[in-house]
Amino acid sequence: MRPAALDWSVENCTIARAMEILGERWTLVVLREVFTGVRRFDDMRVRTGIPRQVLTNRLANLVEQGVLSREPYREPGSRVRHEYRLTEKGLDLWPVLVAVLGWGDRHLADAEGPPLTVVHRDCDAPVRVELRCADGHDVERMRDVVPRPGPGARRRTS
């Protein structure tokens, strides 16, 4: 049986567009750092071991894409430097990182458990990503979700 997805173009796929921004390993590591409060270049470089030029490129791309903003700061007696802050567009990625973290915890964590957890600030309960349809039904099994062409879908021409 031929999959129906073959009838639809992927030219304007938003997953592909998002992965153009996020699809490189170090980009998600940089975002993890900023989400955990590590906002300064040298702190990120030392903590993660990302090569200087790679980190420079990833930060510049995230700023250019509007995911991070560069904010000046000055330590007493030092020159002005910049730290990186999440924009609203960047904050919208938090559920994505929590989902990746949950997947990694389930399938890749060491025997002692995961090295990072995320909790609700108000009650300290663990946070996880859950799927719910627009009518409010919780999605218990991933096989209960069906991809369909959206309003921006284009029929394949060849």
Side-chain angles (χ1 to χ4, degrees):
M1 173 181 249
R2 185 174 188 272
L6 291 175
D7 294 334
W8 301 96
S9 171
V10 293
E11 287 175 15
N12 63 340
C13 175
T14 54
I15 291 175
R17 289 177 180 173
M19 294 313 293
E20 286 179 23
I21 298 169
L22 304 173
E24 195 276 328
R25 170 189 176 210
W26 291 118
T27 300
L28 291 181
V29 171
V30 167
L31 289 170
R32 177 198 67 200
E33 293 304 299
V34 177
F35 272 111
T36 58
V38 179
R39 296 183 182 99
R40 297 179 178 178
F41 183 94
D42 287 333
D43 293 338
M44 278 186 232
R45 192 179 56 75
V46 169
R47 183 170 147 86
T48 64
I50 300 173
R52 180 177 291 279
Q53 191 58 51
V54 172
L55 180 56
T56 297
N57 294 344
R58 295 308 168 267
L59 288 167
N61 184 51
L62 289 168
V63 169
E64 180 182 320
Q65 295 296 328
V67 174
L68 297 177
S69 65
R70 259 178 65 146
E71 304 295 331
Y73 74 93
R74 176 185 233 138
E75 297 286 342
S78 297
R79 65 181 173 87
V80 171
R81 294 177 176 242
H82 292 89
E83 64 181 17
Y84 297 87
R85 301 243 172 202
L86 293 157
T87 62
E88 285 301 313
K89 187 176 182 178
L91 287 166
D92 282 347
L93 288 169
W94 189 224
V96 174
L97 266 68
V98 171
V100 171
L101 175 68
W103 183 86
D105 290 352
R106 277 189 303 283
H107 300 289
L108 305 170
D110 293 338
E112 304 85 43
L116 174 69
T117 61
V118 290
V119 298
H120 185 224
R121 184 185 311 268
D122 291 344
C123 69
D124 216 34
V127 171
R128 66 179 179 271
V129 173
E130 296 181 348
L131 296 181
R132 182 173 297 121
C133 76
D135 284 341
H137 306 113
D138 290 338
V139 176
E140 301 295 330
R141 299 175 324 155
M142 295 309 115
R143 294 195 184 276
D144 291 339
V145 177
V146 180
R148 295 216 171 110
R154 299 178 187 144
R155 269 232 180 271
R156 258 179 99 89
T157 56
S158 56

